[in-house]
Each structure stands twice: as structure tokens, then as C-alpha cells.
Amino acid sequence: MGVKQAIRSIDAFPRAEEHLLQKTQSGALVSVIGLVIMATLFLHELRYYLTTYTVHQMSVDLKRGEMLPIHINMTFPSLPCDVLSVDAVDLSGKHEVDLDTSIWKLRLNRDGHITGTEYLSDLVEKEHADHKHDEEKDHHDDSNHAVHAHSFDQDAENMVKKVKQALANEEGCRVYGVLDVQRVAGNFHISVHGLNIFVAQMIFEGSSHVNVSHIIHDLSFGPKYPGLHNPLDGTSRILHGTSGTFKYFMKIVPTEYRYISKEVLPTNQFSVTEYFSPMNEFDRTWPAVYFLYDLSPITVTIKEERRSFLHFLTRLCAVLGGTFALTGMLDRWMYRLLEALTKPAARGALR
């Protein structure tokens, strides 16, 4: 008997005698509230366990010889598509727009609705070469330059008339597509540089009349991953009564996103600062929108991870056990309060 009594003395869950147990309405109310709270906390902990979280790691970028995709989606509400050209140059000055480049230009009316489409494959290099050839030809002989500077062939005259009509109709242009460039520092820009200098002068009557107002719908350097925010998306720069050159200086950070399924998504994120240089009547340059980028030597790896099942059980026991203990305390307090209020009333009735 001594051993059994000693074992019973360490029981942490003593039972009360059945005749001492009472079921009350206040206890039922507290029990329902406790069950609702425990069910809510259980669902919250289950969702917390099933959702993933991300871990960021940094390391030296070891990639070599890969291409850098540049996704462009911009609108120029004040410039027709016929005068816009896209150019990309790396740090050495070499043009990086190749046959794999896919750029589309969509003609827009004054209300922003699409009226036509033009496809640019490798027109940037062609336009640049023509522009360079025209400049060399213009500077070849001063006497020939004086005679032929303002003589245009039929195509150039038709071009001037077409663009002036588009400007009168307040046509705009939407430029979108992908530029594949080398993974070195460089820039790409959208401007009227593809035009012959005299054609541009005939159309705009001076560089100060070129309105490079633009809206950046999307600008990225690779596919998007969950939580990525590109700082230039939705940027709007509208000029009124002035012109100038916009320059966006971007620092690209190579990034790898590793999903919970072990799938790896290589991409890039970037930070940006911008600068605007207003144009005056004596400037010899033409307005443009420049995007100058440089690559960081550090790559960021973002990994999706899920919490362990033991961590889930620990949190679940803590919240459910705490709720059960709290409701038990609340039930005892309510019972004693009601008992204290009802006993004086019962004694008064007996008297």
C-alpha cells in the first residue's frame, strides 16, 4: 500500500469526485468561446506552417559569357513610330543589337488606342549605319555639302510629310520587346537618332521641339519572381513646353530564385537613379531617353523554405494549451462571481 500511495501522490491530473462536478450555463458559454478561439488559432497556425518564407544569401557572381535580356514596354505619347529608334551599346562602344532582338512598335492615336504595328528586327544597326554614312557623306566635301545639304529624294520627302501628318494628328508610339545584350556595362536609348540630321531638322525645326515624354509600363532584366518590384514600372515623365534628355542610371544585381520545388529561376533586380537635362536652342544634341546600366559583382540567391513539422507541433501545443488554461481560469472566476452574487440574495429570501 505504501508504494501505491506514493505513486498516486505524484499524479499531476487529480480527479474530482463526480458529485462535486457541476455543469453551469456560464461554463458552457466559456467552453464555446474557448473552442472558437482554439479553432481560429489552429487554422492560423496551419496556414503559417503551409506558407513558405524566403532566405537571402549573397555570393560572388561567377557567370561568364551569358546574355542579359532587357524587357522593354514604353509609350511615347508625343512621338510617332516612324522617328523612334532603339539603340544598345556596351562599354566598349560596340552595338549589341543582333538578329535575335525582337522589338515591336505600335502606332497610337491621340486617345492611346493602337492603330498599327511595325516590327524592328535589326533596324537599329541599319539606322545607325545610314546615319553615320550620311554624316560622312555630308562632311566629305564642303562644296558638295553646300549644294546637296537640302536636297532630298522622293523617299525623304514622303517621310517628312508622313511624320508631319502624324505629329498633326498627335500620334504616339508604344515600344516593347526584348533586347539581348552582353553581360557588361552599357546603355540602351530610345530617340530620333536614326533619322538623317537634315530630315530631323525639317520635321521638328530644331531639337528643342522634340518631346520625349514617356511612360514606362515595364522595364526588367529577366523574368519576375514572387515579391520582385521593379522600381521603374509605372513611371511617367510628361513634358510641357520644354524638351530634354532623360538618363536613368541603373545598378543590376544578378539574382537566383530557388522555389520550394527545387526549380531555379535566374533573373536580375536593379536599383535606379534618374537625371533630366533640359534642352535649349543652342544644343547640337537631340533629346533621348537613356538607360545606363552596370552589373554588380555580387549575386543574390533567394530560397523558398518551409517550417519544420516539429516547429508546427510546438506552436500548436503552446497556443491550444494556453487557450485551454485561460478558459479554465475564466470559468472559475465567473463561477465564484456568480456564487458570490447569488448567495446574499438566497439568504435574504430565507429571512
Side-chain angles (χ1 to χ4, degrees):
M1 292 295 294
V3 175
K4 291 183 178 180
Q5 190 67 25
I7 294 175
R8 288 180 180 177
S9 64
I10 63 174
D11 184 7
F13 307 99
R15 271 71 172 175
E17 296 182 9
E18 293 187 1
H19 70 277
L20 297 178
L21 298 178
Q22 297 183 13
K23 295 184 177 181
T24 61
Q25 293 182 352
S26 62
L29 178 61
V30 172
S31 299
V32 171
I33 295 175
L35 288 175
V36 172
I37 294 176
M38 285 189 285
T40 303
L41 292 176
F42 170 76
L43 295 176
H44 178 270
E45 290 298 324
L46 180 62
R47 185 177 64 178
Y48 180 74
Y49 166 70
L50 295 177
T51 55
T52 59
Y53 66 98
T54 56
V55 177
H56 293 67
Q57 299 176 344
M58 292 187 294
S59 60
V60 177
D61 185 19
L62 301 177
K63 295 180 181 178
R64 293 182 180 178
E66 297 185 4
M67 301 299 290
L68 177 67
I70 305 175
H71 300 263
I72 306 172
N73 189 353
M74 299 177 60
T75 295
F76 291 82
S78 302
L79 288 177
C81 290
D82 294 301
V83 302
L84 284 177
S85 65
V86 183
D87 202 358
V89 183
D90 66 11
L91 190 60
S92 64
K94 179 183 176 181
H95 283 256
E96 294 294 339
V97 181
D98 54 23
L99 294 176
D100 294 331
T101 298
S102 299
I103 297 293
W104 291 82
K105 292 194 297 187
L106 303 179
R107 292 176 55 197
L108 307 176
N109 58 20
R110 67 182 64 188
D111 298 322
H113 299 147
I114 299 173
T115 59
T117 306
E118 181 179 353
Y119 178 69
L120 302 179
S121 176
D122 199 20
L123 295 183
V124 174
E125 287 185 348
K126 178 178 180 299
E127 290 173 347
H128 181 79
D130 292 343
H131 181 61
K132 183 176 181 181
H133 175 71
D134 290 335
E135 288 181 347
E136 292 176 353
K137 183 178 179 181
D138 292 332
H139 292 85
H140 179 69
D141 188 1
D142 292 339
S143 60
N144 291 335
H145 173 73
V147 176
H148 299 288
H150 298 286
S151 63
F152 301 96
D153 57 15
Q154 189 62 37
D155 292 338
E157 292 179 2
N158 294 336
M159 174 71 171
V160 172
K161 292 179 181 179
K162 181 180 178 181
V163 174
K164 283 191 173 183
Q165 182 63 39
L167 289 172
N169 295 334
E170 299 181 8
E171 283 192 15
C173 186
R174 186 163 186 170
V175 181
Y176 74 97
V178 180
L179 290 174
D180 291 316
V181 299
Q182 298 290 337
R183 290 182 65 89
V184 295
N187 77 82
F188 66 94
H189 51 273
I190 304 176
S191 63
V192 298
H193 293 167
L195 292 176
N196 178 285
I197 186 65
F198 298 108
V199 174
Q201 189 68 30
M202 287 290 294
I203 293 174
F204 297 103
E205 299 178 355
S207 59
S208 60
H209 297 147
V210 180
N211 190 341
V212 291
S213 298
H214 58 278
I215 302 170
I216 303 175
H217 306 287
D218 175 59
L219 181 66
S220 58
F221 294 86
K224 295 184 177 181
Y225 60 85
L228 174 63
H229 172 69
N230 294 319
L232 286 179
D233 289 359
T235 300
S236 178
R237 298 293 180 265
I238 306 299
L239 300 176
H240 300 282
T242 185
S243 184
T245 296
F246 290 91
K247 292 185 178 180
Y248 296 93
F249 300 88
M250 298 175 290
K251 193 70 172 182
I252 301 174
V253 181
T255 304
E256 282 188 354
Y257 192 88
R258 299 179 180 270
Y259 290 92
I260 194 70
S261 60
K262 306 303 181 182
E263 180 184 355
V264 179
L265 178 68
T267 183
N268 300 277
Q269 52 185 325
F270 67 95
S271 61
V272 62
T273 57
E274 62 178 284
Y275 172 75
F276 174 70
S277 176
M279 191 72 58
N280 57 57
E281 297 180 358
F282 305 102
D283 284 335
R284 296 184 179 182
T285 59
W286 290 82
V289 180
Y290 283 86
F291 298 90
L292 302 97
Y293 56 87
D294 192 9
L295 282 89
S296 170
I298 302 299
T299 183
V300 176
T301 301
I302 305 175
K303 298 169 60 177
E304 284 186 347
E305 293 189 359
R306 181 166 288 159
R307 298 164 183 87
S308 66
F309 184 69
L310 290 178
H311 183 262
F312 168 68
L313 286 181
T314 302
R315 290 176 59 94
L316 190 63
C317 292
V319 297
L320 296 185
T323 304
F324 184 80
L326 183 61
T327 53
M329 294 172 57
L330 182 62
D331 177 56
R332 287 194 296 272
W333 293 341
M334 292 185 62
Y335 179 76
R336 292 175 181 176
L337 178 62
L338 293 175
E339 186 179 27
L341 295 176
T342 54
K343 280 186 177 181
R347 291 176 181 176
L350 291 174
R351 291 179 182 178

